[in-house]
C-alpha cells in the first residue's frame, strides 16, 4: 500500500490482483480529506501493471489528478462559474 498527503487529502493506493493473467496488479485508489474519517472517493482503475511500483505511482498520479479537478471545480463554483 502507498499513501501520500496531497492538498489536505490522503491518497491511498491498494493493489488488487489482475485476473487476466497478463499483469500482476491493478491499482485501487481511496481518497480521504485530512479531517474526515470516511473516504471522499474510491477509484478502481482499469489499467494493469507488471510491478507494484508502477501501479502505485500510477494510482497516486490519478489520485492527485482527481483532487486537482475537484478543487478547480469547487473554486469555479465559488467564483460563480459553470462546472464541466
Amino acid at each position: 500500500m502507498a499513501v501520500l498527503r496531497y492538498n489536505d487529502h490522503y491518497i491511498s493506493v491498494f493493489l488488487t490482483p489482475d485476473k487476466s493473467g497478463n499483469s500482476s496488479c491493478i491499482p485501487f485508489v481511496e481518497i480521504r480529506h485530512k479531517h474526515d474519517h470516511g473516504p471522499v472517493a474510491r477509484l478502481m482503475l482499469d489499467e494493469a501493471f507488471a510491478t507494484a511500483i508502477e501501479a502505485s505511482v500510477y494510482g497516486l498520479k490519478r489520485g492527485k489528478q482527481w483532487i486537482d479537478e475537484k478543487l478547480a471545480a469547487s473554486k469555479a463554483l465559488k467564483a460563480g462559474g459553470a462546472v464541466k
Side-chain angles (χ1 to χ4, degrees):
M1 179 174 83
V3 178
L4 175 70
R5 183 169 177 220
Y6 180 76
N7 281 344
D8 292 334
H9 290 78
Y10 291 100
I11 304 168
S12 301
V13 179
F14 305 92
L15 304 177
T16 58
D18 177 26
K19 295 183 184 199
S20 72
N22 295 330
S23 297
S24 66
C25 52
I26 298 171
F28 178 82
V29 180
E30 188 171 87
I31 300 169
R32 296 176 184 268
H33 192 273
K34 73 176 188 175
H35 298 295
D36 295 333
H37 297 286
V40 175
R42 289 184 176 135
L43 311 172
M44 179 67 170
L45 305 178
D46 59 356
E47 295 189 40
F49 295 87
T51 69
I53 293 172
E54 291 173 329
S56 296
V57 168
Y58 183 74
L60 292 171
K61 178 182 169 186
R62 290 294 304 271
K64 287 180 182 180
Q65 180 182 19
W66 187 92
I67 292 168
D68 290 342
E69 289 172 2
K70 294 301 173 190
L71 291 175
S74 176
K75 287 178 184 177
L77 281 175
K78 288 179 183 176
V83 177
K84 292 181 183 179

